[in-house]
């Protein structure tokens, strides 16, 4: 269960371990017993994330306004991947296995 922060008007901030389904509900102060709303006082502990989750999170944050593209063509493109290309004499041709697919 996650730990949430709450702010009692009389006693000050406190933390409580609650179910994720109850994250919006207020919690009773352990000192005075009055209902206290949930607040966010500290930053999330990103250092405790796994390295793969943290790098995925950072990539999403970097690309949220302007995604970065690696190339104009899709993955595995023969013209961009550095694979050897068969010379067609400049003419475009149909692949033998997929006649409906036009090459670029």
């Amino acid at each position: 269960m996650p730990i949430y922060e709450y702010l009692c008007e009389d006693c000050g901030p406190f933390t409580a371990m609650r179910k994720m389904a109850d994250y919006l509900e207020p919690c009773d102060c352990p000192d005075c017993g009055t209902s206290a709303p949930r607040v966010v006082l500290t930053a999330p502990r990103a250092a405790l994330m796994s390295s793969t989750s943290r790098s995925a999170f950072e990539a999403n944050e970097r690309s949220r306004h302007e995604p970065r593209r690696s190339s104009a063509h899709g993955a595995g493109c023969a013209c961009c991947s550095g694979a050897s290309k068969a010379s067609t004499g400049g003419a475009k041709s149909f692949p033998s296995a997929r006649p409906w697919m036009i090459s670029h």
Side-chain angles (χ1 to χ4, degrees):
M1 282 194 285
I3 298 173
Y4 295 110
E5 298 173 319
Y6 297 90
L7 183 62
C8 177
E9 291 180 8
D10 299 327
C11 305
F14 65 94
T15 59
M17 190 177 296
R18 309 269 318 254
K19 295 179 185 176
M20 290 178 71
D22 299 335
Y23 78 99
L24 287 177
E25 297 179 17
C27 183
D28 293 336
C29 176
D31 296 330
C32 65
T34 60
S35 181
R38 180 175 173 243
V39 294
V40 179
L41 299 174
T42 59
R45 295 183 180 142
L48 299 177
M49 280 189 209
S50 68
S51 61
T52 54
S53 296
R54 187 172 39 253
S55 64
F57 179 76
E58 290 170 355
N60 286 339
E61 285 297 311
R62 281 193 306 269
S63 66
R64 70 179 175 185
H65 297 296
E66 184 178 340
R68 185 174 49 178
R69 292 176 43 176
S70 60
S71 71
H73 302 276
C77 175
C79 71
C80 299
S81 66
S84 62
K85 298 179 242 181
S87 175
T88 59
K92 298 216 178 231
S93 64
F94 289 101
S96 60
R98 298 180 184 139
W100 62 90
M101 189 171 164
I102 300 173
S103 67
H104 66 279

